[in-house]
Amino acid sequence: MTVVVKLSHRETVRLDRAQLERMYVQWGPVRADKEVNQALEDLAIGMAEVQKSHRQRRSDDLREQVRNLIAIANKIGMTSLGRVARDVLDLSDGTDEPAFHATVARLGRIGERSLIAVWDIQDMSI
């Protein structure tokens, strides 16, 4: 009998809470909320586009979308997401396909958890 083990990936995300706080201080709560919400929406759409480009093997589109994710991550302090996105970029031109595919999958997990983390922080009213 073959035993199948399902691995559960629990990704820890890091947020630069100070970056979000700077946005709220600089712009005020109304504009900062608007900016963060727009960034989260753009991030969710971008993550879906990265996965789609990856499935369709459109490398140039994937790299462009990942660069956009990095910019969003930097804007709202998603340090883990930015780091993993840079790893995807680094691996996208290489020959280590298993590492590339695994890192794209990790980007999806980190992206999802990062979205939740920022939503949670917003709910606590930075």
Side-chain angles (χ1 to χ4, degrees):
M1 177 189 271
T2 303
V3 176
V4 177
V5 177
K6 183 176 183 207
L7 300 176
S8 176
H9 299 283
R10 292 283 302 165
E11 299 284 355
T12 302
V13 299
R14 295 197 187 280
L15 297 176
D16 180 359
R17 193 177 172 118
Q19 176 64 22
L20 286 171
E21 289 171 356
R22 280 189 293 274
M23 290 173 69
Y24 278 79
V25 168
Q26 178 182 358
W27 294 332
V30 173
R31 181 171 172 206
D33 274 345
K34 190 175 187 177
E35 293 284 334
V36 170
N37 288 332
Q38 183 63 54
L40 293 176
E41 183 179 332
D42 293 344
L43 182 68
I45 292 167
M47 293 298 302
E49 289 298 317
V50 165
Q51 297 301 323
K52 181 178 175 183
S53 294
H54 182 248
R55 278 192 312 276
Q56 295 176 352
R57 298 185 182 274
R58 294 188 338 246
S59 300
D60 290 340
D61 290 343
L62 182 138
R63 281 190 287 276
E64 179 181 341
Q65 291 153 357
V66 169
R67 284 186 199 97
N68 290 338
L69 291 181
I70 292 168
I72 295 168
N74 290 339
K75 178 179 181 178
I76 59 175
M78 294 179 163
T79 55
S80 296
L81 181 65
R83 187 185 72 247
V84 175
R86 283 187 295 278
D87 292 343
V88 169
L89 275 181
D90 290 345
L91 290 164
S92 68
D93 286 328
T95 58
D96 191 346
E97 281 194 43
F100 173 68
H101 296 301
T103 307
V104 170
R106 183 166 188 238
L107 179 64
R109 293 190 302 272
I110 292 287
E112 182 178 324
R113 292 196 44 93
S114 294
L115 284 169
I116 292 167
V118 172
W119 283 325
D120 288 347
I121 287 174
Q122 274 189 298
D123 288 344
M124 295 185 322
S125 297
I126 297 176

